[in-house]
Each structure stands twice: as C-alpha cells, then as structure tokens.
Amino acid sequence: MGKSSKWKDARERRDGKGFVPVPFVVLNSRAYLGLSAHARMLLFDLLSQFNGSNNGTLACPFTQMRARGWKSEATLFKAKQELIASKLICETRLGARPNRVSYYAVTFYDLD
C-alpha cells in the first residue's frame, strides 16, 4: 500500500478561493517592518487581487478600495506612497483622468 498523506484531501477542504504566499524574507524585512498599519493593509489588499499571472496590473483606486474598508482618499494615497518608497510595490502604468487607473506590481513576485 502507498503512504497516506495528510494533504490527500486538502483540495476538497479548501474554500475554492486562491491564496497568496508571502515569503518570510519579506515579512521579516526592514522595509515591511517599517511600514505603517495602513500601508501593510494596502499591501494585502493589493495581494488579494493577485491570481498568479497579473502582477503588474494590480489596481487600488479609491472607488474599489472603499468596498474593502478604506474611508479616506488621503490615507490611501499616503499608504500607496509609503509602499512605493519602501520598494515593496512599483507603479507599472501611470493613471490619468478621467478614467485611466494606475497599475502596480508587487516587487517580490515576478512581473507578468
């Protein structure tokens, strides 16, 4: 008989949604540890959009982020600038008015 695996039925036990692995090297880095709580929350809100093949097209317009609990455009802007300054995200497309959104990429994953 084959070995029984504790992971045998893991796929059936999951909720069917994706997940995002964040390396410990990122979570223990000075860049991450120096972030404010809002910047950390924005990083994970951006990662919630990541599906494995869309790094570089992650967006965080206030209209979308309001549904995720963001209450202030100024706070969102400061958190975004803080993530860019820490080099945990980079801007891949500059947005423009009236309806062109900026895109971002998480720097610890490959760009797609």
Side-chain angles (χ1 to χ4, degrees), residues 4-5 18 21 31 41-44 48-49 52 58 68 71 105 108:
S4 67
S5 172
M41 184 172 69
L42 179 59
L43 179 64
F44 280 94
S48 72
Q49 300 172 29
L58 306 175
R68 298 196 60 86
K71 306 226 183 300
F108 50 90

Side-chain angles (χ1 to χ4, degrees), residues 6-63:
K6 64 181 179 179
W7 308 109
K8 180 180 175 189
D9 299 320
R11 185 175 303 253
E12 287 78 28
R13 287 184 283 178
R14 285 190 218 132
D15 64 356
K17 306 289 183 198
F19 66 96
V20 178
V22 179
F24 283 128
V25 71
V26 173
L27 295 176
N28 294 324
S29 70
R30 286 185 185 186
Y32 180 79
L33 294 174
L35 293 175
S36 67
H38 288 113
R40 289 181 188 188
M41 184 172 69
L42 179 59
L43 179 64
F44 280 94
D45 282 345
L46 283 169
L47 286 171
S48 72
Q49 300 172 29
F50 183 65
N51 65 14
S53 63
N54 66 339
N55 193 24
T57 58
L58 306 175
C60 57
F62 183 68
T63 54

Side-chain angles (χ1 to χ4, degrees), residues 4 21-22 29 57 70 75 81 86-87 93 103 110:
S4 67
V22 179
S29 70
T57 58
W70 290 86
T75 305
Q81 294 306 313
S86 70
K87 297 188 184 335
R93 184 179 87 171
Y103 285 153
D110 290 336

Side-chain angles (χ1 to χ4, degrees), residues 66-84:
R66 186 182 297 140
R68 298 196 60 86
W70 290 86
K71 306 226 183 300
S72 166
E73 286 187 65
T75 305
L76 179 62
F77 179 78
K78 287 178 189 175
K80 196 181 330 176
Q81 294 306 313
E82 192 175 342
L83 284 173
I84 291 171

